[in-house]
Structure formats: C-alpha cells, structure tokens
Amino acid sequence: MKMTGARILLECLKLEGVDTVFGYPGGTVINIYDELFSFKDIRHILPRHEQAGVHAADGFARATGRVGVAIATSGPGATNTVTGIATAYMDSIPLVVITGQVPTALIGNDAFQEVDIIGITRPCTKHNFLVKDVKDIATIIKKAFFIARTGRPGPVLVDLPKDVQIATAEFHYPDSIELRSYKPTVEGHPKQIEKAVSMLLAAKKPVIYVGGGAISGDAAGELSALATKLHIPVTTTLMGLGAFPEDNPLSLNLLGMHGTYFANMAVTNCDLLVAVGARFDDRVTGKIATFAPHAKIIHMDVDPTSIRKNVRVDLPIVGQVKDVLGRMLKTVEECGDKIAAFHAGIEPWLVEIDGWKKKHPMSYKQTATVIKPQFVIQKLRELSESDAIVATDVGQHQMWTAQFFGFREPRTLLSSGGLGTMGYGLPAAMGAQAAFPNRQVIAVCGDGGFQMNLQEMATLVQNRLPVKIVILNNNFLGMVRQWQELFFDKRYSQTCMELPIDFIKLAEAFGAKGFQATRPDEVEATIKKAFETPGPVIMEFKIAREEKVLPMVPAGASLNEMVLNA
Amino acid sequence: MRHTITVMVENEFGVLSRVAGLFSGRGFNIDSLSVAPTNDETISRMTIVTRGDDQILEQISKQLNKLIDVIKVIDFTDGEAIEREMALIKVTAEESARAEILRIADIFRAKIIDVTTKSFTIEATGAPAKIDAILELLRPLGLKELVRTGPVAIGRGAKAWKG
Ligand SMILES: Cc1ncc(C[n+]2csc(CCOP(=O)(O)OP(=O)(O)O)c2C)c(N)n1
Ligand SMILES: [Mg+2]
C-alpha cells in the first residue's frame, strides 16, 4: 500500500516498538503531526521546549533501556534539540531524534527556518541521516534504531525534508539490517578473558571500577556475581551508580572528584584495577600521572576508542561487558580451591579498606536549626519506594544525591554525567514517569537548574505525570559558588540568585502542589506529604546556603589529595 | 612519526566532513588528504597523511573505525606501502634558465605540460620525497606556483583490498 512519508515514519516507529514520543510541532513537521492526529498507537507528549523533549526521551531511555524518540521542527526546533542530543551523546544514551527540514529543493538557500542540523549535530551524534527520497525512509529509520541501540549506544538524528514527508511510496519495513561498515557486536577475546582471570587471581589489592557501560550493557547481575564471589571491592562512577548495590559491604560507593575517601584511597593503592564500561574521565581520575600508580589495569569496554584514550592499559578487552564478565565468572567458578587462596590473599587489603572506611566515612553534621541537604537526600531514600527512580539536575545537589542516596538498582539514577547539563533533571524525570506511570519518580534539582526547564511543570500537569520535585534551595549557583569559595577567595561573582522565588506559588500557577520546609524537623513531614499527594508536587527545602560538597579532589590534583573538610 | 592511513568509506554525502571533523574535533593533524571513488563506485578511498606518537595513531585508527560510514582503516607504517604524489609546478623560465629547468625535469622524469616565453609548467610524479627533491632544485630558479595532490598509497605485494 502506498502511503505518505510522514505515515511511513509513524509505521516504522510502531514496528520498532515505540509507544511514546516527545515532540513539538512546526511548519516542517506539520505533515507528521497531521498523520499523528489519527494514529492511535503512539502516545505523543508535548513538552514546552524541544530541549526538554529530548531530555525527556533521554530519561525515558535511561529508565527503560529502550530507545527514546523525540521530534522537532526545522530551524529553531532543531537547534533547541542540540543540548539534549549532546547530553545523550556524552552519556551513550540511545535516542532517535527526528527533525523536519525545509523541502529538498530549498536546502542550501537559507530558506525560512532552514538550518544545517546534520552539520551542527555531526560531532554530537553517533550518526545522522538526511533523507532525500521517500523510498529511503523505512531503511533509514531501521538503521537509525539499530545504530542507536547497539554497540556503544548513542543518539541518532534523522533529518526529514517536508517534501519527503508528503511524497508517497510503498511501505515495506526491513526485518533486519546489515551495515558492512558497522559491526557492533564483539565478543571478548577468550585468551584475554583467561588472562584477566589469572591477573585477577594473582592480585592482592584488586578494585573493580564501574562506569555507565555496566548499566547500558545490562551487566549488573554478572558484576555483582563476580565481585561477591571473589570479595572484590567495587567503586562506581556517577554513571555507574546502581550497577552495584551501595548497601553491599563490598561497595566503595562513588570515586573521583566528589568520591568517598575510601574509594579514592583504594584506587590509589590497589595493585589491580578492573575497569568495566568506564572511560577514565578526568572527573574520575584526577591527575592522570598519579592515577592508580601501583596498579595493573584491565579495561573492558564495547567501544575500543575508550581503551587507552586517557590511561595506559595492561589488558584491554573489547566486548560487551555482560558477556565478558559472565565468561570471567564462569572461568573463576572452574578455579576451585584457588578461590580460597585468593580470598586469604586479599584479606589484608579488605582490612586496610575497612580502616579507611572507618577513618573517613561519608558524613555531615545536621544542626537543629538549618536543613542540611545531605539529610534531605537520606530522608528521601528512607521514605521513598525501593524501586523509586531519581533524576537529578547538575550541581551540588547532584553530588549530594550521588553520595547519600544509596543506589541499589541499575537505571534508578538518571543524571547528566558527561555533559553536566543544567536543566536536565526535571524533563528527564518526566520521561521516566511517562515510561513508568506507576513508579515513584523523584527529580532532585537545584534552584538554578530547575529554572532552566521549569516550563515542563505544565507538561507534567497536563499529562498527569506525578513527578515529585525536590528543590534544594541554597539561592546560589551552589557548585560554582563552592569553587569560588575554595579557589577564588570567596568572590561570588554572579552566583548569588538575588531574587528569591516563591516556588509554592509557582507550582500552584501550573496547577500543581507545592510544599516548603525551612527547618530540619519539617523535612520528614514535607516529604511524606508530597509522596501522599497525587500529581506533580514541588518540595522546596531551604538548605544551609554555603554547605559544600565534600570530599573534593581539586581539579588536576591526585585522587589522594582530597579536601575532606574545608 | 609520519603515518599514511588509507580509509575506505561509503561513497556518500557528508562522509568527508565526518572524517575531517573527527581530525579537527580531536586535535589530530592532517598533513594531506586525498579522496576519490574506487573501482567499486559505492566505496571511496581516502589517503590521509598524519603524524603523532603510537598512542595518538591508535586513537586515530580507532576513532576512524568508529565512524559508521568507515568500512576499513589501514595504517601503512613505513615501507609497507608504495606512495605516489603528483605536483604541478610553475617556474619562471627566462632564457638563461630554460636549459637547466629542462635538464632537471628530465632527470626526474617530469613532463613540461605548458610553455610560455617566460614560464614552464611541469608535471612531476613520484614518492613524496622525490617531489620534495625536484622542488628543492627548482626553487632557486624561481618557483611561481605549486600544487601537490598529497600522496595516494597502495600496499606492496599481491594482497589487495577490495574496492
Ligand atoms: C547549562 C549549564 N550552564 C552552566 C553550568 C555550570 N554550572 C554547573 S553547576 C552550576 C550551579 C548550579 O546551581 P543550582 O542549580 O542552584 O544547583 P546547586 O549547585 O546550588 O545545587 C552551574 C552554573 C552547567 N553545568 N550547565
Ligand atoms: Mg542552588
């Protein structure tokens, strides 16, 4: 049957299993919206800004593991998606973003709302496509989803000129796709895996360092099994939080700039570092020259470019981490009594780590008068449901959430790690809530970042997405203020948000509810009330304004040069 | 160290800017780049001359391979490949120098492809070092304009890369 390009697009999405898209109409996608009007199989959510639409698709993808889909019109609609796309790219999140484009005959003419979005997004997409012929739509959409979700996942943009949407063609969706230039599924080399196990069993001070690849690669089960079988301590990056239960005694929690004392000490002193789906980001390594100076490094990753990009690696293993860890576990299980010897061998190391844990546990002092942000985060954990999903914005509140929430399951923390995009939290929570209407979804925001996408309150209310929004209000761009306090002589240049905002009235203006806590003894009641209230709710906590995120490794310093209390 | 890398890519719109963008975005050097379709018209072949230490070259190869449109990357380290480059060279050719220029062209098996009373245009082909050498001899005689293609490379021996 012949159908329009716009209709073909929707049929393709349906066949890809897409049930929710986040999009914003405009002149060059009006034909897609016309088809959507009567297309019942896809739920369309209208954000109030295309950036938020892409973040929502990203939150949807992170929470579900499926490909998130967003639509925007050409020109300004397309440029508004760029921050969202770059955010997803840096964190390897699978998205398909569809943009309208001016008719093919006008491309290059500076037509109304024309922008070269293919050129603009080339460095921040895994791949992008300009569709020039209606007959190519189906194959290109098939390729787009295949590329987005396989290998190291990432965003793919498809630019669809208006005339291509209007033209008609026979619809045929390919069952599978082969790209001679893209072979994403690689199995870890058996020899390398064998070597990895023998290096592991020879180690006396091993640490496993886990990144977001363990979550996107669905490897949390294998990771936990291997670590607990061998009693190897595990530290995670921000992106890796949830891959290993933080309440497990082997967990060292977060490492890096705002990581725990014991994680950073363990990495600095280990004799073997096993990196799992992590990319040795500078926020994690601190000064490269002194990173894990005594360690042999095993690095497993689906993406060969991650390996040896920043640090020397003794044993690279390119492959799906799930498969690699699974096969390592199997090999280990065949090692019999070597395991007991290994356990005995690393015992002093575990004792040493325990000493560090006791010496400097994560801590803060809650006073009777002022709310400490860490206290709010701990109360959130206590009072929220065990499968709650937490999205954060970017700043101090993000780090406090990472430090104090205690993540236990993969895909329960949604946070912009690589790009560090303020304004991410609220729309990402929105996307997750759209995916899981019955789960508790919490957005933890700063007062600054919340204001970068607060228009999405309208989307939440309209679509009955009951996100519980926590604003840790220090009336500061707190993270920058912290740097100014520590490294710029307290010259708080443009980080004080002079204007106090009435977030309660703001919530009400959108038809949502808002509660405020100003004293520590109000924290628990406020959270409970918010959780009991149906629909979206803002909880505003007036927190200690100059509280700092600690420990802190100053940028460029070694991991063991932490500022513990300043 | 100087490396000559061959990159087989899908002969599609935008591929050149993906490759060029990768080099500029990641701060890799390109000394020269040449590109044209192969015997298989769906494949284009690029020859890129770049430099860097082993770690950088490893990254360049990996990053190129990661581009979806890249089919194959071959890093020809010294000796494995035959390289050829062409140069078109316009030199001032006053009466007194004409014989000397012709002699130089002859030694290098270069061709005079355009002549005026005041100039010669020479076509020279060879390994990049040979082009450098002829240029060195011609320069003192008055080199007016130079265009080089950058080298193309092919592996030695019977083994061939499809395309
Ligand atoms: C879009 C964007 N602009 C600027 C920054 C730089 N930045 C990082 S954290 C931060 C402060 C965030 O303030 P707020 O949202 O109030 O959170 P807090 O740190 O106070 O918890 C800023 C400005 C950023 N990460 N993203
Ligand atoms: Mg703030």
Side-chain angles (χ1 to χ4, degrees):
Chain A
M1 197 179 81
K2 279 204 162 198
M3 41 178 99
T4 64
R7 178 61 185 260
I8 289 176
L9 169 70
L10 298 184
E11 297 289 346
C12 293
L13 295 181
K14 182 179 157 190
L15 289 174
E16 281 297 331
V18 175
D19 54 19
T20 308
V21 303
F22 302 87
Y24 209 98
T28 58
V29 286
I30 198 164
N31 299 83
I32 298 174
Y33 279 87
D34 190 57
E35 292 286 357
L36 257 174
F37 195 68
S38 49
F39 197 88
K40 295 294 168 234
D41 299 311
I42 292 180
R43 173 191 193 194
H44 182 280
I45 293 178
L46 176 76
R48 276 8 180 210
H49 190 296
E50 290 91 346
Q51 180 195 348
V54 180
H55 288 327
D58 167 314
F60 182 99
R62 290 189 207 227
T64 59
R66 290 157 58 197
V67 179
V69 180
I71 301 176
T73 194
S74 64
T79 52
N80 272 349
T81 65
V82 172
T83 302
I85 293 172
T87 303
Y89 183 66
M90 286 295 274
D91 290 344
S92 310
I93 305 304
L95 297 184
V96 170
V97 177
I98 291 148
T99 47
Q101 183 53 282
V102 301
T104 33
L106 291 183
I107 290 179
N109 283 12
D110 298 326
F112 177 63
Q113 295 194 327
E114 178 186 357
V115 75
D116 175 15
I117 197 64
I118 293 290
I120 290 173
T121 59
R122 202 171 278 134
C124 62
T125 49
K126 184 170 173 186
H127 197 60
N128 57 21
F129 295 94
L130 171 65
V131 189
K132 287 179 165 167
D133 187 329
V134 63
K135 292 194 215 70
D136 298 336
I137 293 180
T139 339
I140 287 180
I141 296 294
K142 185 83 196 175
K143 284 184 190 172
F145 276 84
F146 175 62
I147 292 169
R149 91 160 76 80
T150 52
R152 178 175 180 174
V156 176
L157 181 135
V158 180
D159 202 23
L160 207 54
K162 188 177 166 88
D163 56 320
V164 177
Q165 298 169 32
I166 296 169
T168 57
E170 286 295 331
F171 174 59
H172 164 73
Y173 201 56
D175 293 330
S176 63
I177 201 96
E178 266 280 312
L179 290 167
R180 63 176 165 188
S181 57
Y182 177 66
K183 303 273 178 249
T185 37
V186 267
E187 282 194 359
H189 198 283
K191 274 262 158 8
Q192 301 290 86
I193 289 174
E194 226 171 83
K195 265 194 217 155
V197 171
S198 55
M199 280 169 75
L200 202 54
L201 293 182
K204 295 280 177 277
K205 301 177 167 192
V207 170
I208 302 179
Y209 145 53
V210 179
I215 291 176
S216 60
D218 203 15
E222 289 76 5
L223 169 70
S224 293
L226 185 68
T228 45
K229 170 103 195 157
L230 290 177
H231 304 174
I232 304 176
V234 178
T235 179
T236 68
T237 66
L238 179 67
M239 301 311 300
L241 282 175
F244 189 75
E246 289 200 274
D247 51 2
N248 186 311
L250 288 170
S251 173
L252 303 173
N253 314 96
L254 193 69
L255 87 161
M257 180 174 273
H258 293 299
T260 60
Y261 173 76
F262 38 96
N264 287 342
M265 289 305 282
V267 168
T268 304
N269 290 285
C270 67
D271 68 355
L272 180 73
L273 188 69
V274 184
V276 179
R279 61 186 176 87
F280 295 85
D281 176 84
D282 53 275
R283 284 292 185 268
V284 160
T285 60
K287 187 172 164 188
I288 283 282
T290 52
F291 177 74
H294 314 295
K296 287 219 155 60
I297 297 178
I298 299 176
H299 189 179
M300 58 186 82
D301 207 294
V302 260
D303 178 5
T305 66
S306 289
I307 296 174
R308 289 209 196 96
K309 188 175 62 182
N310 304 338
V311 299
R312 76 202 146 75
V313 169
D314 299 280
L315 184 73
I317 309 179
V318 178
Q320 319 277 91
V321 288
K322 184 184 181 70
D323 164 69
V324 173
L325 287 171
R327 281 154 64 200
M328 277 177 75
L329 181 65
K330 229 165 137 207
T331 314
V332 164
E333 277 165 350
E334 287 156 10
C335 283
D337 42 324
K338 274 199 213 150
I339 309 271
F342 174 75
H343 285 163
I346 64 167
E347 192 52 36
W349 173 235
L350 297 182
V351 171
E352 194 175 3
I353 288 177
D354 229 41
W356 289 322
K357 282 190 173 181
K358 292 206 174 87
K359 189 167 167 204
H360 291 294
M362 286 303 293
S363 67
Y364 64 94
K365 281 198 196 72
Q366 178 57 62
T367 66
T369 47
V370 193
I371 302 174
K372 284 297 178 79
Q374 301 91 331
F375 177 69
V376 178
I377 302 298
Q378 283 184 328
K379 281 287 162 198
L380 275 175
R381 165 82 292 174
E382 236 177 270
L383 300 168
S384 61
E385 286 162 19
S386 63
D387 67 344
I389 297 170
V390 179
T392 77
D393 215 85
V394 170
Q396 291 184 306
H397 61 280
Q398 174 189 33
M399 291 301 130
W400 288 317
T401 307
Q403 291 176 330
F404 287 93
F405 192 79
F407 290 91
R408 298 184 290 230
E409 294 287 333
R411 304 193 181 282
T412 55
L413 169 64
L414 322 176
S415 196
S416 167
L419 200 66
T421 309
M422 282 174 71
Y424 172 81
L426 181 63
M430 177 167 101
Q433 188 79 78
F436 296 107
N438 299 320
R439 270 170 77 178
Q440 201 169 45
V441 179
I442 303 166
V444 180
C445 301
D447 48 308
F450 175 76
Q451 293 182 56
M452 282 205 180
N453 268 321
L454 68 79
Q455 76 285 348
E456 298 310 318
M457 291 297 298
T459 318
L460 294 181
V461 174
Q462 180 188 323
N463 292 281
R464 297 198 177 79
L465 299 169
V467 173
K468 308 303 176 199
I469 301 152
V470 172
I471 299 177
L472 295 181
N473 188 358
N474 47 16
N475 211 26
F476 269 124
L477 296 173
M479 186 56 97
V480 183
R481 186 210 60 77
Q482 171 168 342
W483 282 52
Q484 290 171 334
E485 177 186 332
L486 294 175
F487 312 118
F488 292 87
D489 221 6
K490 293 203 178 189
R491 290 152 59 84
Y492 293 164
S493 179
Q494 300 296 319
T495 43
C496 179
M497 313 284 268
E498 310 273 347
L499 181 76
I501 291 179
D502 189 335
F503 287 110
I504 312 307
K505 274 200 186 136
L506 184 102
E508 286 163 1
F510 283 104
K513 291 275 187 308
F515 307 124
Q516 187 191 55
T518 54
R519 293 201 328 266
D521 58 8
E522 295 169 346
V523 169
E524 191 163 323
T526 304
I527 296 174
K528 278 188 176 154
K529 194 158 65 171
F531 284 170
E532 282 160 12
T533 306
V537 179
I538 290 181
M539 297 166 244
E540 184 204 359
F541 299 92
K542 296 265 197 197
I543 59 164
R545 292 198 62 204
E546 301 201 25
E547 184 71 9
K548 284 191 288 292
V549 180
L550 293 170
M552 176 173 193
V553 178
S558 308
L559 283 190
N560 59 352
E561 294 168 356
M562 281 162 279
V563 179
L564 289 164
N565 28 41
Chain B
M1 197 170 100
R2 177 184 181 279
H3 281 246
T4 305
I5 300 175
T6 286
V7 192
M8 310 279 205
V9 298
E10 294 290 347
N11 187 6
E12 264 169 28
F13 146 98
V15 178
L16 179 59
S17 49
R18 283 184 209 283
V19 171
L22 187 152
F23 275 77
S24 62
R26 296 196 177 262
F28 303 142
N29 292 309
I30 298 186
D31 285 359
S32 74
L33 184 157
S34 80
V35 53
T38 62
N39 190 33
D40 173 348
E41 69 199 16
T42 66
I43 297 177
S44 278
R45 180 161 174 155
M46 296 182 179
T47 308
I48 300 174
V49 177
T50 183
R51 56 187 74 240
D53 59 23
D54 287 353
Q55 195 236 344
I56 289 178
L57 260 295
E58 181 179 330
Q59 267 301 311
I60 291 177
S61 282
K62 285 174 169 179
Q63 293 286 355
L64 283 168
N65 264 311
K66 190 169 157 180
L67 293 178
I68 305 289
D69 287 329
V70 168
I71 302 165
K72 175 117 199 124
V73 179
I74 311 156
D75 180 356
F76 286 121
T77 41
D78 273 341
E80 290 173 16
I82 304 163
E83 289 183 31
R84 288 295 179 269
E85 180 176 12
M86 186 172 81
L88 302 179
I89 310 157
K90 196 172 285 188
V91 285
T92 317
E94 299 295 350
E95 200 45 56
S96 58
R98 289 178 92 91
E100 173 68 2
I101 293 169
L102 290 174
R103 202 157 38 238
I104 293 170
D106 195 42
I107 292 168
F108 284 87
R109 291 174 216 268
K111 281 189 265 178
I112 310 294
I113 54 173
D114 188 38
V115 191
T116 71
T117 50
K118 293 198 174 72
S119 71
F120 282 144
T121 301
I122 301 168
E123 173 196 324
T125 315
K130 177 177 157 187
I131 306 289
D132 291 343
I134 187 172
L135 288 173
E136 202 172 311
L137 293 175
L138 290 173
R139 217 167 258 129
L141 300 172
L143 204 161
K144 287 158 73 86
E145 188 179 346
L146 167 68
V147 47
R148 296 176 73 153
T149 57
V152 291
I154 197 162
R156 285 188 189 280
K159 189 178 173 206
W161 303 102
K162 190 182 163 294

